[in-house]
């Protein structure tokens, strides 16, 4: 059997990679990709804790489903915003989107 | 090493390798396809955790909807920095240090936790999907979060249509 | 007689005995036998696919008042082999500027999304790859892999027409997934389970076609749209965008797309048989044994494959805005209304003998109301159109 530590370390590594993507990428779409990686890491943790600690209850899976819904909502609105900005300002570089910067 | 452990290592390698490619690949469309590889790996992990329903939902929602949406968005924003030398911004070293620190912090926190190496405590009940469905719509359990999530999705739907379509009409 | 009753388990046991007698460990032998089983099953599907090419060409010929292939072998039955030889010796072209990895991966994914579906098809009791308890979700998940392969092919070809075809296909497949999921949910509500075997077992008394004929129609229409066959073949509309997403594919890579499409149609025929027509059941004939049941199931699947072909070669292609409007303004609301009505009646009359007739009548009622609404709506629209053309008429002078 696999000890819980393997899953948790994998999720932590995935979360860190996602964090790096969010912090370091220029492209706004890529930042959203990084957020997806982080959400996936969280979901791995939720399902892992459900399986290892309380498999008789459904709490972990319900949380994961709510995370799915939030991820879908976040991506649809985020990408709509990015496309809208691209149409007006002709850029998807996060540094150039500085309408509120003065 | 058991078969399950070998399988886990293979899937972990797929997940982490493709996640690394997601955050470093130059071409955005390739990043989106690498994300799909990561999502498949995560779905396989859910299946290994005997959460078959979650694995299927992962593929339907993430691969079937979110990843396709990403590919569309990448295609609609074509001028995607292909000529610039690096896809990363100036703060990349700070970002790398910060994410390594985050990983180290997680690792230390988890290492000091007493249940770090425990094995599954009990078997998964047979009718997990049925229990999940009942829990999601029973007033004594999770109907409120479920309804709030559906309202959130509706709001996101309307908001996304307004933001994306309203922009073209204003021109 | 053991083999006649449970062929898969008998074969598995005898293979396991012969493998372990040579000193192999049991777990390794089990994995090996599984692999052999998967290989045999997939080979069976692909051989069937070759036969389907012949069926398709012969049937379309009859629909179009031709003879079809009749030179190679009796009734032209060896024609597909000649086709395969032709596809294999064609030049394998990868266009300049194409994304080589994705370009080569796309046909594999396309065929994979179909073969994945075969894992959950219950041919007969005890003759099923795996009895998943989330089989209906698995069906949708495999469909999303198909969508992925289309967008991969369209983008990596480095061709305008291919990309346009891919965009159209993805819009269509993503949209028609929704009424399809609703129809699958109706079946799930009626059967009380998402597993394929459970759904077949639930139809022991009454096939679901009699409980929900409208759900069958919705599933058939959205399945045809998922398959991208006429009248929903906008993805490869020859007169508009060359050949859609597989414009740049030649030789066996194109062959994989083609084979995938035909096998997909057959597989959906099988799913229609399993969801609405009782799977392997045919008036007690299935009691003879699982092999007879599997043959009945194949014949049902072939019949619905024929129905899909019949629609394909009878109905002309529809326009893209009509396609989207038909889905979002008609099919999806209808499917959700039907789902709610079915769930309500199923709950109110739980366990009552009135359940089946009331469900059937409610379906008829909904269908009648829909047709009446469409009639009045169409009349209004036609009146508006006539009014607007009359006011314009003096100016244009045709």
């Amino acid at each position: 059997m696999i000890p819980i530590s393997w899953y948790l370390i994998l999720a932590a590594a995935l979360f860190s990679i996602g964090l790096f993507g969010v912090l370091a990428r220029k492209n706004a779409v890529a930042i959203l990709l990084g957020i997806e990686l982080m959400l996936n890491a969280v979901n791995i943790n939720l399902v892992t804790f459900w399986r290892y600690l309380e498999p008789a209850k459904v709490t972990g899976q319900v949380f994961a489903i709510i995370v799915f819904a939030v991820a879908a909502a976040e991506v649809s609105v985020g990408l709509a915003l990015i496309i809208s900005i691209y149409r007006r300002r002709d850029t998807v570089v996060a540094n150039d989107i500085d309408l509120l910067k003065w | 090493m058991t078969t399950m452990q070998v399988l886990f290592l293979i899937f972990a390698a797929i997940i982490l390798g493709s996640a690394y490619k997601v955050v470093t690949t130059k071409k955005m469309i390739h990043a989106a396809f690498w994300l799909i590889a990561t999502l498949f790996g995560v779905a396989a992990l859910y299946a290994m955790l005997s959460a078959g329903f979650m694995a299927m939902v992962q593929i339907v929602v993430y691969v079937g909807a979110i990843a396709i949406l990403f590919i569309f968005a990448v295609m609609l924003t074509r001028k995607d920095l292909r000529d610039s030398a690096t896809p990363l911004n100036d703060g990349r070293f700070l970002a790398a240090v910060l994410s390594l620190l985050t990983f180290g912090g997680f690792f230390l926190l988890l290492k000091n936790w007493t249940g770090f190496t425990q094995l599954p405590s009990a078997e998964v009940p047979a009718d997990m999907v049925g229990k999940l469905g009942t829990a999601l719509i029973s007033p004594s359990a999770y109907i409120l979060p479920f309804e709030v999530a559906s309202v959130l999705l509706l709001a996101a739907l309307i908001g996304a249509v307004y933001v994306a379509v309203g922009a073209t009409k204003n021109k | 007689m053991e083999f006649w009753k449970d062929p898969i388990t008998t074969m598995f046991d005898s293979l396991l005995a012969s493998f372990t007698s040579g000193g192999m460990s049991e777990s390794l032998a089990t994995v090996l036998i599984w692999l052999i089983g998967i290989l045999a099953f997939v080979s069976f599907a692909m051989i069937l696919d070759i036969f389907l090419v012949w069926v398709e060409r012969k049937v379309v010929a009859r629909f179009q008042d031709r003879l079809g292939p009749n030179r190679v072998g009796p009734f032209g039955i060896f024609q597909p082999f000649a086709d395969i030889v032709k596809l294999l010796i064609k030049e394998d072209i990868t266009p300049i500027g194409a994304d080589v990895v994705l370009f080569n991966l796309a046909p594999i994914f396309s065929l994979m999304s179909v073969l994945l579906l075969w894992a959950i098809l219950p041919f007969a009791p005890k003759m099923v790859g795996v009895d998943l308890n989330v089989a209906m979700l698995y069906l949708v998940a495999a469909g999303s892999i198909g969508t992925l392969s289309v967008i991969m092919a369209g983008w990596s070809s480095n061709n305008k027409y291919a990309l346009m075809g891919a965009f159209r296909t993805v819009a269509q497949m993503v949209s028609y997934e929704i009424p399809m999921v609703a129809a699958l949910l109706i079946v799930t509500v009626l059967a009380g389970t998402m597993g394929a075997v459970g759904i077949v077992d639930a139809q022991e008394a009454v096939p679901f076609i009699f409980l929900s004929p409208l759900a069958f129609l919705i599933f058939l229409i959205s399945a045809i749209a998922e398959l991208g066959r006429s009248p929903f073949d906008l993805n490869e509309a020859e007169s508009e965008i060359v050949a859609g997403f597989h414009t740049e594919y030649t030789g066996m890579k194109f062959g994989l797309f083609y084979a995938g499409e035909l096998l997909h149609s057959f597989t959906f025929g099988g799913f229609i048989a399993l969801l609405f027509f009782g799977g392997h059941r045919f008036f007690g004939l299935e009691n003879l044994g699982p092999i007879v049941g599997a043959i009945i199931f194949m014949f049902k699947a072939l019949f619905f494959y024929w129905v899909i072909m019949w629609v394909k070669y009878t109905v002309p292609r529809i326009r893209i805005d009509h396609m989207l409007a038909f889905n979002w303004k008609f099919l999806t609301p209808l499917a959700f209304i039907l789902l709610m009505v079915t769930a309500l009646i199923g709950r109110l009359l739980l366990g009552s003998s009135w359940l089946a007739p009331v469900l059937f009548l409610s379906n008829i009622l909904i269908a009648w109301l829909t047709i009446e609404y469409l009639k009045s709506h169409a009349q209004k629209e036609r009146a508006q159109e006539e009014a607007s053309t009359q006011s314009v008429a003096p100016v244009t002078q045709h």
Side-chain angles (χ1 to χ4, degrees):
Chain A
M1 291 301 289
I2 306 166
I4 191 170
S5 53
W6 292 31
Y7 284 101
L8 296 184
I9 289 175
L10 171 71
L14 189 59
F15 187 88
S16 306
I17 293 175
L19 183 67
F20 175 74
V22 171
L23 292 175
R25 288 293 289 235
K26 274 184 187 168
N27 191 317
V29 181
I31 293 174
L32 276 181
L33 287 175
I35 293 176
E36 285 315 307
L37 292 181
M38 292 162 83
L39 285 171
N40 262 288
V42 171
N43 260 356
I44 293 178
N45 264 4
L46 286 171
V47 176
T48 306
F49 280 127
W50 161 78
R51 177 72 187 86
Y52 280 76
L53 302 183
E54 294 278 3
K57 291 180 185 164
V58 292
T59 317
Q61 291 210 26
V62 170
F63 262 70
I65 288 173
I66 303 288
V67 172
F68 278 136
V70 172
E74 170 246 321
V75 166
S76 60
V77 176
L79 289 178
L81 282 173
I82 290 171
I83 288 171
S84 175
I85 288 171
Y86 179 76
R87 282 196 183 131
R88 280 154 195 252
R89 315 239 339 178
D90 208 25
T91 179
V92 284
V93 179
N95 278 346
D96 299 346
I97 305 168
D98 49 7
L99 279 169
L100 285 175
K101 225 179 174 182
W102 51 72
Chain B
M1 211 176 249
T2 63
T3 326
M4 286 302 266
Q5 285 176 334
V6 175
L7 274 179
F8 177 88
L9 288 179
I10 293 171
F11 290 131
I14 291 173
I15 291 173
L16 292 181
S18 48
Y20 176 75
K21 294 297 275 187
V22 170
V23 295
T24 52
T25 311
K26 228 164 146 187
K27 269 190 175 175
M28 273 310 296
I29 194 101
H30 284 177
F33 279 115
W34 281 116
L35 177 76
I36 290 171
T38 315
L39 299 174
F40 271 118
V42 174
L45 276 198
Y46 291 158
M48 284 177 69
L49 285 164
S50 46
F53 178 74
M54 296 304 293
M56 288 303 131
V57 172
Q58 166 91 2
I59 292 182
V60 172
V61 173
Y62 267 107
V63 178
I66 292 179
I68 299 281
L69 209 58
F70 267 116
I71 293 171
F72 263 73
V74 170
M75 285 177 182
L76 289 175
T77 56
R78 281 298 276 263
K79 228 182 70 185
D80 56 350
L81 315 162
R82 221 167 300 158
D83 42 349
S84 70
T86 165
L88 305 176
N89 61 19
D90 300 336
R92 70 194 104 148
F93 295 112
L94 192 62
V97 169
L98 211 60
S99 31
L100 278 179
L101 278 180
T102 315
F103 180 67
F106 276 142
F107 188 73
L108 282 181
L109 268 178
L110 288 170
K111 223 184 155 202
N112 294 329
W113 178 44
T114 46
F116 192 42
T117 52
Q118 65 174 296
L119 297 172
S121 53
E123 284 302 305
V124 177
D127 185 25
M128 196 56 214
V129 185
K131 279 181 86 174
L132 196 61
T134 323
L136 275 176
I137 54 162
S138 83
S140 56
Y142 296 101
I143 190 155
L144 191 63
F146 183 69
E147 292 297 326
V148 171
S150 62
V151 171
L152 173 76
L153 280 175
L154 182 65
L157 179 72
I158 296 170
V161 169
Y162 179 76
V163 169
V165 176
T168 46
K169 276 196 181 149
N170 289 349
K171 259 192 178 173
Chain C
M1 245 23 301
E2 234 0 83
F3 179 75
W4 185 248
K5 273 182 195 141
D6 191 358
I8 305 283
T9 320
T10 318
M11 275 196 280
F12 181 85
D13 286 346
S14 66
L15 271 178
L16 192 67
S18 65
F19 273 41
T20 44
S21 65
M24 200 185 278
S25 80
E26 196 168 325
S27 58
L28 182 67
T30 312
V31 171
L32 264 181
I33 294 170
W34 278 351
L35 283 179
I36 293 171
I38 292 168
L39 198 69
F41 198 47
V42 169
S43 314
F44 170 68
M46 297 314 288
I47 290 168
L48 184 77
D49 207 1
I50 296 173
F51 170 66
L52 289 181
V53 175
W54 177 76
V55 170
E56 175 97 10
R57 294 187 61 167
K58 209 68 185 170
V59 172
V60 60
R62 299 314 304 183
F63 274 121
Q64 295 170 349
D65 208 6
R66 294 185 283 120
L67 281 178
N70 59 357
R71 294 286 139 179
V72 195
F75 307 106
I77 198 154
F78 296 126
Q79 184 67 40
F81 294 97
D83 286 352
I84 290 171
V85 172
K86 188 194 88 171
L87 284 175
L88 281 174
I89 59 177
K90 268 193 167 182
E91 191 188 351
D92 185 24
I93 300 170
T94 306
I96 295 172
D99 195 311
V100 179
V101 177
L102 291 180
F103 186 79
N104 291 323
L105 222 54
I108 299 172
F109 267 59
S110 171
L111 196 61
M112 193 179 88
S113 74
V114 183
L115 288 176
L116 279 177
L117 287 176
W118 279 62
I120 56 163
L121 270 184
F123 288 87
K126 292 175 189 163
M127 279 181 83
V128 50
V130 52
D131 181 19
L132 278 185
N133 59 349
V134 285
M136 294 302 104
L137 267 177
Y138 183 90
L139 171 61
V140 182
S144 59
I145 295 177
T147 317
L148 191 66
S149 78
V150 168
I151 204 161
M152 262 183 178
W155 181 79
S156 64
S157 297
N158 193 28
N159 178 317
K160 268 183 218 164
Y161 296 115
L163 192 58
M164 269 154 74
F167 271 150
R168 286 178 173 201
T169 315
V170 170
Q172 177 176 310
M173 286 172 113
V174 170
S175 316
Y176 278 86
E177 224 162 58
I178 294 163
M180 188 158 130
V181 169
L184 289 176
L185 276 178
I186 291 169
V187 172
T188 308
V189 166
L190 291 176
T193 173
M194 269 199 201
V197 175
I199 287 172
V200 174
D201 287 344
Q203 299 179 61
E204 182 134 33
V206 194
F208 288 159
I209 176 74
F210 294 117
L211 295 187
S212 195
L214 265 185
F216 162 66
L217 281 180
I218 293 170
F219 186 81
L220 181 66
I221 293 172
S222 45
I224 292 174
E226 282 281 300
L227 295 166
R229 313 200 96 195
S230 182
F232 297 101
D233 62 344
L234 302 137
N235 49 355
E236 43 191 291
E238 298 90 347
S239 50
E240 298 162 26
I241 47 171
V242 193
F245 63 92
H246 56 61
T247 303
E248 296 286 355
Y249 284 90
T250 55
M252 212 53 213
K253 285 183 207 158
F254 164 74
L256 285 185
F257 277 118
Y258 186 63
E261 189 199 319
L262 292 185
L263 197 61
H264 210 166
S265 311
F266 179 81
T267 316
F268 264 106
F271 271 105
I272 290 170
L274 122 80
L275 292 172
F276 296 101
F277 289 87
H280 58 270
R281 292 206 176 77
F282 191 76
F283 301 115
L285 207 61
E286 73 277 4
N287 294 331
L288 289 175
I291 297 176
V292 178
I295 293 171
I296 293 170
F297 184 83
M298 296 297 274
F299 269 104
K300 279 186 182 174
L302 264 181
F303 176 75
F304 290 105
Y305 174 57
W306 180 80
V307 169
I308 292 171
M309 265 195 288
W310 181 22
V311 174
K312 171 169 178 173
Y313 293 113
T314 313
V315 188
R317 186 182 309 136
I318 62 172
R319 230 166 62 197
I320 188 154
D321 56 330
H322 288 176
M323 180 270 284
L324 287 174
F326 178 69
N327 177 48
W328 290 109
K329 294 181 187 165
F330 178 71
L331 214 53
T332 305
L334 179 66
F336 278 117
I337 289 170
L338 191 64
L339 173 61
M340 280 190 264
V341 169
T342 307
L344 197 68
I345 292 176
R347 186 72 215 167
L348 285 178
L349 298 177
L350 193 66
S352 141
S353 59
W354 284 94
L355 181 65
V358 171
L359 268 176
F360 183 73
L361 285 179
S362 72
N363 267 267
I364 301 290
L365 187 70
I366 291 173
W368 181 72
L369 285 176
T370 318
I371 290 171
E372 283 300 307
Y373 172 74
L374 282 183
K375 220 192 259 171
S376 70
H377 187 75
Q379 274 168 358
K380 229 184 282 170
E381 221 163 56
R382 206 176 295 138
Q384 258 177 7
E385 213 165 84
E386 271 167 17
S388 65
T389 46
Q390 269 169 8
S391 63
V392 175
V395 189
T396 49
Q397 283 185 355
H398 280 299

